[in-house]
Every structure is written in structure tokens, then in C-alpha cells.
Amino acid sequence: MLDVLQRPVDRLDPLDRQIIGCLTRDARATYAVIGDEVGLSAPAVKRRVDRLVADGVIRGFTALVDPEVLGWTTEAYVEVFWEGTPSPLELRRSLGEVPEVVGAWSVTGSADALVHILAADIPHLEEAIERLRQQPNVHQTRSEVVLSRLIDRARP
Amino acid sequence: MLDVLQRPVDRLDPLDRQIIGCLTRDARATYAVIGDEVGLSAPAVKRRVDRLVADGVIRGFTALVDPEVLGWTTEAYVEVFWEGTPSPLELRRSLGEVPEVVGAWSVTGSADALVHILAADIPHLEEAIERLRQQPNVHQTRSEVVLSRLIDRARP
DNA sequence: AGTGAAAGACTGTGGTG
DNA sequence: CACCACAGTCTTTCACT
């Protein structure tokens, strides 16, 4: 009863967590291998994975690609300052207009949003930030260009 | 000649890029399906994927998990200010001591590093930042707690 | 480097406790 | 909810182009 109020986390048992652990380490692991590791048969693992995907616990599977190889060597975090008090929806729509924006979060502190930008090089980055500044209501930006990637841990 | 000077990107032909595209969209896609999409047989796709993994172009495959479901609902970006001029190696060692740190980058601007922290809740976050501040040479921190995730695009 | 064929492994469904 | 069994599919190797 009252399933809508039950947070999804409550539906994850230790087996689910172990399976998620296996898949975050190697998304191409076979159900049989995962089953060996968690002590389940392959069909049982498949049913759980299907359920986790259907429930939105697992949003998808992706390959981790070395960004340098793709030629996107330039990265920056940009604090965005807004005129007035924008709704998350407005922010999402406005920031989403710039394709180089790969991540964005509304944050506490003086800035309204923190935006993660990937670009091919410095001129490309500069141009992307310029387009960001031209979005309606964007008042000011403060950029920190990434010099080197120190840590990039997969999910816990 | 002079292969060491050749950037890895130069070794990627359009077929490789298409295959990488398929795998970033769905890391569990079968070789046969990828082959259909890019116009290659399954064995040919497998050989290319194996080579991309061996060369480090593809660093691995992972599941995208909804962080809220795991109970890590609290997220912050923390600017770290250092005493003196630390090497990237020192930074990596020092920041890596705090397990809640899931990402870290050395950056331009007044801060020395930008650190991404995931925690279960605000007390947990506070404790993690406290441990960060106690690392040798960490002089000051400035935190921005994430209120909401606006955009989280998969790779470009 | 790619193809096609073949053996073995894996997936995915249906039946059962 | 998990297991077993089985039919269909996929992976992976090998010989050939």
C-alpha cells in the first residue's frame, strides 16, 4: 500500500546492489558470470536486471571513452549567474540550447548553476561560452578551465 | 615512422567512431546488431572493439545508475585552495584519500582544484569536506551544494 | 582487413517447486 | 522468487579472400 510514497531505494535488496556493482564494473559481463559472482542462476540475474532497467534504477549502459581520443581535449566548469530567480525548467531549457554543455546543476552559493562544457579546443570553448552568455537572463559567467583530470572514479 | 608522436585520434577511422557511438548508446549491444548498423560482419566488429579496448580508446563499459536510488542523494562541487604549488600527482594522491571524491580536476582561476563529491546526506557531505580540509596543504575550500541535476548528457 | 561457416556459450522463455 | 531445461541467438575461432 502507498507504493508511490515508497522510495525506489527500498526495493533494492543486497543481491540487486551486487548485480549493479558487477554491471558498473563491466556492463558487458554475461548473466552467467554475474550469477557466479552473486550466487544466482543466469535467468534469475536477467530477470533482476530487466526489472532494474524497467524501474529506471539502471538508466542504461555505456562505453567509457577516453575523451582525448575523440578530440574533445578542452573542458571547463562554468558558474552561471542569472537575472531574477529562474525555475529549474527554464534553466534546463536555456542551458540545453548549447550542445557543448554536457552537464548542469543548480547549486547553492552565489552562482545559480554550474555548467560542465566539453569542447575541441580553446577557441571552440570560447565560442560555446559566448553562446551561453547570450542566452536570455544569463547575467554573468565565471569559468574554470580544466588543466588536468586528476580523478574520475566510476560510480561508487 | 615516429608512431609515438601520432595522436591516438589519428588511428580512428569513421567505422571506429560509428562503433564507439553504438557502444556509448548501448554498451550491451551485440556485435551482430552493431555490425548491421555500421555495415560490417559481427567478427569484424568484435576485432575492432577488442582493439579499441586494448589501445585504451575504450576504457571500459559501465551501467548508468540513478544516483538517488543508491541513496547518494547529496552532491557538491568543492573548490580547493592549496598552500604552495602542488603537482598534479600530489593533488591526485591527496584528494584520492577521501572516498567520497568521485571526480577531481586541476583548474585555472583562483582555485587550484575542483572536486566532485557524492554523499548520502548533508551530515555525510559535511564530514567528507571536513576530511578534505584536513589533507596536508589544503588551505581553504568553497563548496557549492547541488540542488538539482539539470542536464546529464551522455558523451557527445 | 573483411567474410563465411561451425562449435560452443549465452540468452530468454516456459514449466515447476 | 528461484531453479532447470530447451530452442534460438550470439560469440569466437579458423580458413579463405
Side-chain angles (χ1 to χ4, degrees), chain A residues 52-120:
Chain A
L52 291 168
V53 171
D55 289 356
V57 174
I58 295 177
R59 292 207 328 255
F61 303 96
T62 192
L64 298 168
V65 181
D66 186 340
E68 292 197 16
V69 174
L70 290 177
W72 294 66
T73 55
T74 306
E75 202 173 345
Y77 281 88
V78 180
E79 288 173 295
V80 176
F81 300 78
W82 231 261
E83 306 257 23
T85 51
S87 70
L89 225 82
E90 277 181 280
L91 281 168
R92 182 181 294 123
R93 202 192 43 70
S94 198
L95 300 172
E97 291 290 309
V98 181
E100 287 83 356
V101 170
V102 295
W105 305 267
S106 65
V107 292
T108 63
S110 53
D112 294 291
L114 184 64
V115 172
H116 184 197
I117 291 186
L118 271 190

Side-chain angles (χ1 to χ4, degrees), chain A residues 7-10 12 17 20 23-31 34 49 56-73 75 77 79 87-89 91-92 95-114 116 118 142-156, chain B residues 7-10 12 17 20 23-31 34 49 56-73 75 77 79 87-89 91-92 95-114 116 118 142-156:
Chain A
R7 291 196 18 243
V9 61
D10 300 330
L12 289 186
R17 288 174 186 277
I20 289 172
L23 286 171
T24 50
R25 271 197 308 283
D26 177 14
R28 286 184 75 82
T30 67
Y31 297 126
I34 298 170
V49 172
V57 174
I58 295 177
R59 292 207 328 255
F61 303 96
T62 192
L64 298 168
V65 181
D66 186 340
E68 292 197 16
V69 174
L70 290 177
W72 294 66
T73 55
E75 202 173 345
Y77 281 88
E79 288 173 295
S87 70
L89 225 82
L91 281 168
R92 182 181 294 123
L95 300 172
E97 291 290 309
V98 181
E100 287 83 356
V101 170
V102 295
W105 305 267
S106 65
V107 292
T108 63
S110 53
D112 294 291
L114 184 64
H116 184 197
L118 271 190
R142 197 170 76 87
S143 304
E144 293 183 340
V145 177
V146 171
L147 298 172
S148 72
R149 192 177 286 250
L150 300 168
I151 297 174
D152 191 4
R153 288 205 247 264
R155 304 269 141 176
Chain B
R7 289 188 28 236
V9 61
D10 300 329
L12 289 185
R17 288 175 185 276
I20 289 172
L23 286 171
T24 50
R25 272 196 308 282
D26 177 14
R28 286 184 76 80
T30 66
Y31 295 126
I34 298 169
V49 173
V57 174
I58 295 176
R59 293 208 326 256
F61 303 96
T62 192
L64 298 168
V65 180
D66 186 340
E68 291 197 16
V69 175
L70 289 176
W72 296 66
T73 55
E75 202 173 346
Y77 281 88
E79 289 173 295
S87 69
L89 225 83
L91 281 168
R92 182 179 294 124
L95 300 172
E97 291 290 309
V98 182
E100 287 82 358
V101 170
V102 294
W105 305 267
S106 64
V107 292
T108 63
S110 53
D112 294 291
L114 184 66
H116 184 196
L118 272 190
R142 195 169 78 87
S143 303
E144 293 182 340
V145 176
V146 171
L147 297 172
S148 72
R149 190 177 290 249
L150 301 168
I151 297 174
D152 191 4
R153 287 205 247 266
R155 307 267 143 176

Side-chain angles (χ1 to χ4, degrees), chain B residues 2 4 37 57 72 83 104 107-108 110 117 136 138 141:
Chain B
L2 279 179
V4 281
E37 208 158 324
V57 174
W72 296 66
E83 305 257 22
V107 292
T108 63
S110 53
I117 291 185
V138 170
T141 62

